[in-house]
Amino acid sequence: GGFGAVYTADPALSAQIGCPLGFALPYPAAVQSFERGTMIYLGTSPASIYVLYNTGAYTRYPDTFVDGVDPTSAGETPPPNLFEPIRGFGKVWRANPAVRSGLGWAAQPEAGTTATLLLFQSGQMIALPPIGQVAVLTSIGTFRLISGSY
């Protein structure tokens, strides 16, 4: 599938993440593009939010958003043609000044989807259908977005 094509296309990348561990599995997900990066929600157990910066670095945060307890929005007014992130993305964005300054405002609304996850010895691949890309995350905190699907 698409993971195999991504894996075999770049020997340096495959050497960096190692061998796959198990099978690719689908999870509920969301993705949102920002001025300077992307956020990914992955409904694994426990759920996580990945912040991918245009610099090639990423950080992972636990998804602590509780529907009905946490505010969906802070009611901020973004610049024209941009969006305030909401729900779990918004909670991470508002609570972490480095995330907010690193990503900027959302460039489009978040899109719910089903993402496919495959774990590797030193990383993971996440197929993101709304953007037609596979995120390859390494265990050293770097990532690449590669065109493709699962």
Side-chain angles (χ1 to χ4, degrees):
F3 286 156
V6 168
Y7 188 79
T8 58
D10 186 343
L13 182 63
S14 56
Q16 190 175 23
I17 62 174
C19 295
L21 304 172
F23 300 98
L25 297 172
Y27 289 96
V31 63
Q32 188 167 25
S33 296
F34 285 74
E35 293 176 289
R36 295 181 295 280
T38 304
M39 289 182 106
I40 301 168
Y41 161 81
L42 197 59
T44 53
S45 184
S48 296
I49 293 175
Y50 295 87
V51 178
L52 286 60
Y53 300 99
N54 285 352
T55 62
Y58 80 92
T59 49
R60 186 191 71 76
Y61 296 89
D63 177 30
T64 60
F65 179 81
V66 179
D67 201 21
V69 174
D70 292 316
T72 300
S73 164
E76 297 189 39
T77 303
N81 301 316
L82 296 174
F83 302 86
E84 175 192 8
I86 60 171
R87 304 181 49 80
F89 289 164
K91 186 174 181 180
V92 169
W93 186 77
R94 287 187 300 275
N96 298 281
V99 171
R100 186 174 180 147
S101 66
L103 289 178
W105 291 91
Q108 58 189 305
E110 74 177 60
T113 189
T114 297
T116 305
L117 171 68
L118 181 59
L119 300 176
F120 288 79
Q121 290 171 311
S122 298
Q124 57 192 316
M125 288 188 189
I126 306 169
L128 302 164
I131 60 173
Q133 295 186 315
V134 173
V136 182
L137 310 174
T138 70
S139 60
I140 60 169
T142 60
F143 80 93
R144 287 179 48 196
L145 289 174
I146 300 170
S147 292
S149 62
Y150 173 71

